[in-house]
Amino acid sequence: AVTTPVSPADGATLEWPFGTADQPVTLEWNAVAGVTGYKLAWNGTPAQDLGNVLTFNTPPIGEGSYIWQVIPYITDPVAKGGKRSLAPVGARVAMNAPKGDAVEAPLWHFTINVLDPVVHNLVITSDPAGATILLGGVATENITPFTVTEAGTYSVMMDGYTFLPEDYIWDGAADDEIEFVGTLIPTYDVIPGVPEELDPATDVTITGAGFIGANLVTEGYTPVPNPTFVATSEGILQLVGTGEVSLTFDFDPAVDWFVYLEGGEWIAVAGPLTTYTVIVDLGAKDGTFEYKAGSGEDPTLPVELSVFNATLTAQNFVKLSWTSESETNMLGYRVYRAESEVQAEAILITPIMIQATNTSTTQNYSIEDREVNIGTTYYYWLEAVDYSHSSFFGHRSVEVLGEITPELPVQSVMSNAYPNPFRASSNTTIEVKVRADETGTVTIYNVLGQAVKTYTVSEGNHKLTWNGRDSRGNLCGSGIYFARMSTPSMNQTKKMVIVK
C-alpha cells in the first residue's frame, strides 16, 4: 500500500498574491491501512520520522518548484530497531536523495507561483478641464483629465482658479476617481491703492481696510435731471468689499462738475476740479458707485421737470401733478398707467397730449385719474415730449384704499425674497417699503459684485418681481445673488438663490 496526497495534489500550482512573504506550506496525505508510521523526505533532504502524523509543515518557502515523498512503515519486532519499511525508497528525489527502485513511495511535486502585482488606476478630472496635476506638491507633465497608477497625494492647479478638494490622498489599493472643482478667482479693473485709468480724462485710486477690488461698467447709466449737462467722463464702479471705501478721482483737464449717485439722488460738486475724494460706506457687503464729470450747468438742476407725484384724493381718485422749471421746444406731456411695475404693460390715459407752455418760468400741471378701483395699486409714468425725443419719469405708485387715507411707511425696509430659493424659469418677489419723502434703488448683484438688475423705488409699499433675468433680458445662471436696497436713510442686503 502507498499513501496518496490530499494537499497539495501532485502537480498542483499554488498561486500567491504579489508581495506575499515566504511562508510554510502544510503537506497532508491519506492514512495507509496497517501502517503505524511515516517518514517524509522534503525537497531532497533526508527523510524524517513523523510517527503516525499525517501532516508536515515545510520551512518558509517562496516561488519555485518542490518535491516531497512519504514513506510508510510498520513496526517489526524482528527487524533491527523494531521498524521495517514497507517498500524501498525509489527514484531520484534530489542530488542527495536516496536511490533505488521506488515501488510504493512515489514522488509528489507542486509549484508556487507568485502573481504579478495588481495595478490600480486613479482617474483625475477637473472642472474646468486642463488643470496641471501635482503629485506630492510637485507639478507633473500631465493635465486633467488623466489616469495615474502611482499612489500618493494629488492636487491640481490652473491660473485664475482655486480648487476643492485642495488635495486627494490615494493609496493605490483599488481603482478610484477624483474630480477637483474649480472656483474662478475674481479679477478686478481697480485694485486697492493702485491708480487706474477709467478713461483718457479720469483716473481713480480706491483704498479701504475692507476693499477688495472694483470693476468698471460702461453702460446702463442713470441720466441726470439736467439734459444740458455734457458728461466728458462717466461710469459705474462695482465695489467689492466691506466698510468705508475712499475713492479719489483725478481729472485732466479740470472739470466744471463732478456728480455721483448717493441713496438714489444725484450729488453735485462744482468745479473747476482736478481731484475729488468720496467716502462710500459699503456696509456688510459690496456696492456700486455711479459718477459723471463734465461741463455745462448744474447736472442736478431740473431744467425741464422738478416734481412728479401721484397722490390719492379725498374722493379716492388719483391726482397726478408735476412741475417744470423751464421749457424749451417742448410739445407736451403724456401720462401712462399700469397695475404692475412693468412700464411695457402701461396704457396711455391721456390720448390728447397735455400741451407745454414753453416758458422759462416754473409751470405746474395736474390731472385726475378717475378710472381706478378700490383695493388696487396703480403705477404711473410721465412722458415729456419735445421736438426730437421724449423722456420718461416714474414710476409713481398709489394704492386705492377706499375711505382709508393711505399711510406711508415710517421706516424704509426690504423683506426677504419669496420664494427663495427659486427656479430660473420662475419668479421671486421682494417686498420693499420706502418711507415718506424718500426714493431709492434695489439692485441685484451676482457673487462677483456685478449689477444684474436695478429697480427704482419711491415712497410707499412695493412688490418687486424678479424673473431671474438681467437688464438685457438674458436668463441668469443658477447660484447666489444679492438684492441691495439703498435709500438716504438705510442700506440693506438680502441673499437669494437661483436653482436649476
Side-chain angles (χ1 to χ4, degrees):
V2 296
T3 59
T4 56
V6 174
S7 176
D10 187 30
T13 297
L14 307 181
E15 292 187 340
W16 288 0
F18 175 79
T20 301
D22 289 358
Q23 58 184 304
V25 174
T26 299
L27 309 178
E28 298 178 298
W29 58 92
N30 293 324
V32 179
V35 171
T36 56
Y38 304 90
K39 297 178 182 179
L40 185 137
W42 162 246
N43 205 37
T45 61
Q48 304 176 47
D49 190 344
L50 304 180
N52 59 0
V53 176
L54 299 177
T55 62
F56 174 78
N57 289 328
T58 73
I61 57 176
E63 188 171 43
S65 297
Y66 300 92
I67 302 172
W68 59 296
Q69 182 184 41
V70 176
I71 306 169
Y73 66 86
I74 60 173
T75 301
D76 185 358
V78 178
K80 185 178 180 179
K83 294 181 181 179
R84 177 167 57 88
S85 296
L86 294 179
V89 175
R92 180 181 298 273
V93 177
M95 291 182 62
N96 58 349
K99 300 178 180 179
D101 297 324
V103 177
E104 298 181 2
L107 296 174
W108 296 326
H109 308 75
F110 70 89
T111 300
I112 296 176
N113 182 24
V114 177
L115 299 177
D116 292 334
V118 177
V119 178
H120 292 288
N121 297 321
L122 174 65
V123 179
I124 302 177
T125 59
S126 68
D127 182 13
T132 299
I133 297 174
L134 289 78
L135 175 58
V138 179
T140 69
E141 296 180 353
N142 306 314
I143 61 173
T144 59
F146 194 76
T147 300
V148 299
T149 57
E150 181 179 354
T153 301
Y154 286 91
S155 57
V156 299
M157 66 178 182
M158 178 183 286
D159 289 343
Y161 285 87
T162 59
F163 287 90
L164 288 177
E166 293 182 357
D167 54 45
Y168 186 74
I169 300 174
W170 183 56
D171 60 9
D175 289 340
D176 203 354
E177 58 184 33
I178 178 64
E179 181 178 41
F180 294 92
V181 179
T183 299
L184 184 65
I185 300 173
T187 57
Y188 299 102
D189 298 330
V190 184
I191 60 177
V194 178
E196 185 64 39
E197 182 182 273
L198 301 177
D199 56 56
T202 305
D203 293 347
V204 69
T205 303
I206 306 178
T207 58
F211 175 60
I212 298 173
N215 287 318
L216 178 65
V217 178
T218 56
E219 57 184 13
Y221 300 135
T222 304
V224 294
N226 186 353
T228 66
F229 171 75
V230 178
T232 57
S233 177
E234 60 183 337
I236 301 173
L237 286 167
Q238 296 173 334
L239 305 169
V240 180
T242 58
E244 287 192 346
V245 175
S246 175
L247 299 89
T248 299
F249 291 85
D250 294 301
F251 310 104
D252 185 16
V255 295
D256 296 332
W257 292 95
F258 179 67
V259 61
Y260 58 92
L261 271 179
E262 184 178 273
E265 299 290 339
W266 285 106
I267 306 299
V269 181
L273 295 171
T274 57
T275 185
Y276 190 77
T277 298
V278 183
I279 304 297
V280 177
D281 188 357
L282 297 178
K285 182 65 176 176
D286 304 345
T288 60
F289 182 82
E290 184 172 357
Y291 69 92
K292 299 178 190 292
S295 59
E297 297 187 27
D298 184 348
T300 62
L301 180 64
V303 176
E304 291 185 326
L305 195 68
S306 60
V307 175
F308 173 44
N309 283 327
T311 57
L312 194 64
T313 69
Q315 295 77 29
N316 297 318
F317 302 139
V318 177
K319 181 181 179 180
L320 301 154
S321 57
W322 62 97
T323 300
S324 68
E325 299 299 325
S326 64
E327 296 172 351
T328 302
N329 295 323
M330 286 287 296
L331 291 174
Y333 302 92
R334 300 188 185 105
V335 180
Y336 298 80
R337 180 189 66 218
E339 293 184 17
S340 75
E341 296 176 328
V342 181
Q343 184 179 351
E345 297 176 1
I347 61 173
L348 177 66
I349 63 172
T350 54
I352 299 176
M353 183 180 294
I354 300 169
Q355 297 298 312
T357 60
N358 282 308
T359 64
S360 59
T361 59
T362 299
Q363 296 294 316
N364 296 311
Y365 300 85
S366 66
I367 66 167
E368 213 170 55
D369 183 11
R370 300 190 174 190
E371 297 181 2
V372 294
N373 298 316
I374 293 176
T376 304
T377 298
Y378 295 94
Y379 302 85
Y380 294 89
W381 288 264
L382 177 68
E383 182 185 18
V385 184
D386 64 19
Y387 287 98
S388 60
H389 73 289
S390 65
S391 300
F392 281 89
F393 300 86
H395 59 78
R396 299 292 184 265
S397 63
V398 173
E399 184 177 4
V400 181
L401 296 175
E403 298 297 329
I404 301 174
T405 302
E407 295 182 0
L408 293 174
V410 297
Q411 182 180 4
S412 296
V413 66
M414 178 176 63
S415 301
N416 291 323
Y418 183 82
N420 187 24
F422 70 101
R423 297 189 179 278
S425 58
S426 63
N427 300 330
T428 190
T429 299
I430 307 169
E431 292 190 7
V432 173
K433 295 180 179 179
V434 182
R435 77 182 195 185
D437 301 321
E438 277 196 354
T439 60
T441 58
V442 175
T443 304
I444 298 172
Y445 299 90
N446 59 24
V447 293
L448 299 180
Q450 299 169 332
V452 173
K453 185 85 172 181
T454 299
Y455 302 88
T456 300
V457 290
S458 58
E459 60 182 19
N461 300 305
H462 309 275
K463 288 186 177 180
L464 307 180
T465 299
W466 185 40
N467 59 4
R469 296 179 180 272
D470 62 19
S471 57
R472 296 182 176 182
N474 298 317
L475 193 64
C476 298
S478 59
I480 298 174
Y481 293 82
F482 299 93
R484 180 176 176 85
M485 177 181 175
S486 297
T487 70
S489 65
M490 62 80 69
N491 287 291
Q492 189 176 14
T493 303
K494 300 287 186 178
K495 184 170 78 171
M496 302 177 293
V497 179
I498 297 178
V499 295
K500 294 181 179 179

